[in-house]
């Protein structure tokens, strides 16, 4: 017989679920406030269209987010170290400077980002651009200023691009199209999707770091100490039963809805609701103002475990909670701490 072990596990997992919901809503609100997704997309466009050294100082999106997405714009920023050119690119740059390569065509990421199909102009900044819209905007930018038929215009501009990954990708798409405009557009769309998948992987690693840091801050702010929670659940049957009952109701209500896009007031209200749910239903919070005492420093391991648990996300903890509730329901009903016959002999 497992005794209170399953109920303790249910209480702990339920706490993790509430904490993960709070963490996700705070992250969603922060992303909206700092326009993190839009900044990531513009940075991705810069990396995709321009040579890497043109955006070297803007690569670390974590640093930009933590500093309020600010740009210094001073001499120190202009003097930032850049990625060195490859020998082939250096040679081509020298030849172009001397006029040996003929006219050049410079394509900037703003040409695509501010295109009406992309929607990066004005005050609004897009957080997502489809491959179809990107390809159409890119082809239109390549045709600007060139002469002849559409394919000839694009080929002329591609040939005039400086050596680099962009030129190589477009030359490949142009060769594979074999004079077919639709095949050329499809090839550019495939290239864009593949490149964005790689950049999304980088962004995901950055957001994991942000998630852990923010999770640790929230764990400390609300004193969500895993070790202390387990100790209280084992020591207090009444608390344990109350949390199991609330967890059962949560499972019956269905999986919590993911954080939705919306205006900042709506996101702030969602954060307040998630905070209240955590404080009302879990044994967390401070009974006195926190201070750097030895006893409170002993909570650091519990806070770290909570922050790591929050990174797994609310859907993970809801599924696990559902399984634990089913295990509990399939076994014998635990003895209630309020049973009047408890402790009596036969």
């Amino acid at each position: 017989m497992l005794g209170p072990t399953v109920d303790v596990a249910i209480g702990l997992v339920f706490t993790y679920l509430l904490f993960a919901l709070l963490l996700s809503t705070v992250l969603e609100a922060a992303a909206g406030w700092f326009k993190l997704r839009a900044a990531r997309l513009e940075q991705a466009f810069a990396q995709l269209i321009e040579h890497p050294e043109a955006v070297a100082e803007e690569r670390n999106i974590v640093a930009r987010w933590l500093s309020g997405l600010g740009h210094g714009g001073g001499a120190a920023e202009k003097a930032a170290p850049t990625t060195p050119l490859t020998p082939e690119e250096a040679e081509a740059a020298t030849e172009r400077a001397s006029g040996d390569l003929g006219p050049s065509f410079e394509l900037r990421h703003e040409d695509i980002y501010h295109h009406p199909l992309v929607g990066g102009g004005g005050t609004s900044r897009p957080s997502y651009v489809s491959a179809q819209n990107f390809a159409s905007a890119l082809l239109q930018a390549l045709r600007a200023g060139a002469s002849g038929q559409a394919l000839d215009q694009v080929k002329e501009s591609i040939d005039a691009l400086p050596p680099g990954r962009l030129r190589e990708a477009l030359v490949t798409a142009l060769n594979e199209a074999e004079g077919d405009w639709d095949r050329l557009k499809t090839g550019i769309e495939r290239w864009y999707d593949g490149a964005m998948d790689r950049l999304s992987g980088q962004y995901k690693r950055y957001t994991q770091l942000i998630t852990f840091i923010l999770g640790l801050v929230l764990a400390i702010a609300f004193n969500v100490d895993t070790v202390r929670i387990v100790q209280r659940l084992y020591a207090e049957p009444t608390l344990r039963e109350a949390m199991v009952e609330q967890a059962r109701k949560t499972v019956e209500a269905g999986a919590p809805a993911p954080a939705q896009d919306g205006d900042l007031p709506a996101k702030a209200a969602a954060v307040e609701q998630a905070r209240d749910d955590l404080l009302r239903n879990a044994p967390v919070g401070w009974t006195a103002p926190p201070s750097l005492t030895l006893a409170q420093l002993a909570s650091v391991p519990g806070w770290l475990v909570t922050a790591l648990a929050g990174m797994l996300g609310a859907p993970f903890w809801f599924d696990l909670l559902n399984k634990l509730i089913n295990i509990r329901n399939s076994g014998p009903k635990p003895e209630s701490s309020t049973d009047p016959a408890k402790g009596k002999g036969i």
Side-chain angles (χ1 to χ4, degrees):
M1 184 174 177
L2 295 177
T5 303
V6 173
D7 287 357
V8 170
I10 290 174
L12 180 61
V13 170
F14 182 49
T15 302
Y16 284 161
L17 171 62
L18 296 174
F19 180 79
L21 286 171
L22 173 62
L23 179 57
S24 64
T25 53
V26 171
L27 280 171
E28 184 65 29
W33 177 265
F34 292 108
K35 294 180 170 56
L36 186 59
R37 294 187 182 91
R40 188 271 304 179
L41 181 64
E42 184 176 3
Q43 182 194 27
F45 269 45
Q47 289 182 275
L48 198 61
I49 300 300
E50 299 168 8
H51 194 274
E53 76 268 9
V55 291
E57 72 277 6
E58 297 186 82
R59 278 185 171 180
N60 194 337
I61 199 169
V62 177
R64 294 183 63 204
W65 182 71
L66 293 177
S67 62
L69 299 179
H71 298 274
E77 179 179 330
K78 295 178 181 178
T82 61
T83 304
L85 295 173
T86 64
E88 294 79 5
E89 291 169 337
E91 181 180 356
T94 303
E95 292 178 357
R96 191 173 298 283
S98 63
D100 294 341
L101 293 182
S104 64
F105 177 76
E106 184 179 15
L107 185 65
R108 305 289 294 179
H109 80 274
E110 291 90 348
D111 299 332
I112 314 299
Y113 189 75
H114 292 159
H115 193 279
L117 286 174
V118 173
T123 57
S124 63
R125 302 172 66 189
S127 58
Y128 169 78
V129 175
S130 68
Q132 292 80 6
N133 287 353
F134 172 84
S136 297
L138 176 60
L139 288 171
Q140 185 171 338
L142 290 172
R143 293 179 61 186
S147 58
Q149 299 296 321
L151 274 172
D152 295 333
Q153 292 174 335
V154 171
K155 185 178 186 305
E156 179 182 340
S157 296
I158 292 176
D159 290 340
L161 286 172
R165 290 176 297 181
L166 173 64
R167 187 177 187 275
E168 293 174 1
L170 293 179
V171 167
T172 300
L174 186 63
N175 292 337
E176 291 179 349
E178 297 180 343
D180 188 309
W181 180 265
D182 291 335
R183 290 181 61 185
L184 172 62
K185 189 171 183 291
T186 301
I188 293 176
E189 292 171 3
R190 287 200 304 266
W191 165 67
Y192 172 79
D193 284 336
M196 293 304 291
D197 286 342
R198 291 190 297 272
L199 292 173
S200 296
Q202 298 175 9
Y203 175 72
K204 185 177 180 180
R205 290 191 291 272
Y206 293 148
T207 54
Q208 285 176 340
L209 176 59
I210 294 174
T211 302
F212 174 75
I213 294 174
L214 185 56
L216 183 58
V217 170
L218 291 175
I220 296 173
F222 296 104
N223 193 23
V224 190
D225 179 357
T226 293
V227 176
R228 176 175 169 271
I229 291 170
V230 171
Q231 291 173 343
R232 286 197 59 186
L233 287 172
Y234 265 112
E236 302 177 30
T238 303
L239 171 66
R240 190 166 65 237
E241 292 174 8
M243 291 196 67
V244 168
E245 179 61 21
Q246 189 60 42
R248 183 187 62 79
K249 293 179 180 179
T250 301
V251 169
E252 290 178 352
Q260 299 292 330
D261 292 334
D263 56 13
L264 288 179
K267 292 179 179 180
V271 170
E272 293 181 2
Q273 181 63 48
R275 177 204 61 192
D276 293 342
D277 289 342
L278 175 66
L279 293 176
R280 182 173 57 250
N281 297 306
V284 300
W286 293 98
T287 56
S291 58
L292 293 178
T293 63
L294 185 60
Q296 291 183 351
L297 288 177
S299 297
V300 171
W303 294 332
L304 289 172
V305 173
T306 301
L308 292 172
M311 295 179 64
L312 295 176
F316 172 85
W317 293 115
F318 181 84
D319 290 342
L320 182 56
L321 183 63
N322 190 20
K323 293 176 182 177
L324 289 173
I325 292 293
N326 290 335
I327 292 175
R328 184 180 188 272
N329 291 339
S330 64
K333 184 177 180 180
E335 184 178 346
S336 173
S337 61
T338 60
D339 188 349
K342 183 178 179 181
K344 293 183 179 180
I346 299 178

